[in-house]
Amino acid sequence: MPGERAGPSVFPRTNYPEVKPLVAGQMDWKHYHTSEEIEWWMQKWGKDYPDLVELYTVGKSFGNRDIWQLTLTNKKTGRHTDKPAAFFDGGRHSGEISGTESAFYLMWHLLDQYGKDASITKLLDTKTVYIRPVNNPDGSDMYRLTAQANRSTVRPQDNDGDGWGDQAR
């Protein structure tokens, strides 16, 4: 796991079938998506839907990975900042994979149904939706891809307030 800490930072990667797509590069909802896969889809959608998607990073994780977010709105009907908006995020903590999947599904569903479903088309024509499906890519992948059941984050805890993790120094 990336980031400075005392103690083991390398965990063996598992081979859980629950995080494997049925066919690589094809969307399915029969597995849990890794942060790498989610980021791949977000970048793909940014290219495939340039009139609806703005993709950008909002910061770096503890392990120095990008934290990605999408803004969804019809750019031809106005700027995202001029429309009423909602923000959805998922996966703030390592084990919150259902929250990540829900936010990711919302993103996919809005894009997949735009132009097909009148209510979704109207939504993105008149409103803005901000979605950040993975707030914690380091911990999220540790939870999905190793046998470590980390609850929150890979950042060391600093219970004594000295600015270092409890095991540091």
Side-chain angles (χ1 to χ4, degrees):
M1 292 282 92
E4 184 179 328
R5 70 180 54 73
S9 293
V10 177
F11 303 107
R13 193 173 173 112
T14 59
N15 195 17
Y16 295 129
E18 293 85 1
V19 296
K20 295 193 183 319
L22 297 177
V23 177
Q26 291 183 16
M27 180 56 71
D28 75 73
W29 297 102
K30 298 187 183 288
H31 74 287
Y32 292 104
H33 300 84
T34 64
S35 63
E36 180 182 354
E37 186 180 8
I38 291 169
E39 291 166 10
W40 182 88
W41 280 104
M42 291 172 74
Q43 291 171 11
K44 179 179 180 353
W45 293 332
K47 292 174 189 161
D48 291 351
Y49 300 96
D51 293 333
L52 296 175
V53 172
E54 181 180 342
L55 174 65
Y56 48 95
T57 62
V58 295
K60 294 283 190 179
S61 71
F62 179 71
N64 203 37
R65 292 180 57 193
D66 287 323
I67 300 171
W68 292 95
Q69 181 169 308
L70 279 185
T71 297
L72 300 174
T73 193
N74 183 348
K75 296 175 186 178
K76 294 177 181 177
T77 61
R79 294 177 17 180
H80 68 96
T81 54
D82 294 335
K83 299 175 184 178
F87 171 74
F88 300 90
D89 73 348
R92 181 161 303 277
H93 299 109
S94 300
E96 295 173 352
I97 59 177
S98 60
T100 293
E101 289 297 318
S102 296
F104 185 49
Y105 181 87
L106 175 62
M107 188 183 300
W108 168 80
H109 184 70
L110 293 173
L111 289 170
D112 183 65
Q113 292 301 304
Y114 183 85
K116 299 174 191 171
D117 179 314
S119 62
I120 289 175
T121 302
K122 181 179 178 184
L123 174 76
L124 293 183
D125 284 350
T126 61
K127 311 283 189 292
T128 300
V129 180
Y130 302 99
I131 305 176
R132 186 181 318 150
V134 183
N135 274 295
N136 181 0
D138 308 321
S140 174
D141 282 345
M142 185 171 93
Y143 187 87
R144 283 183 189 83
L145 302 174
T146 76
Q148 304 302 308
N150 189 34
R151 181 192 68 78
S152 185
T153 183
V154 298
R155 182 184 303 275
Q157 296 206 0
D158 180 20
N159 292 321
D160 60 7
D162 67 355
W164 292 85
D166 291 341
Q167 303 301 317
R169 291 198 218 179

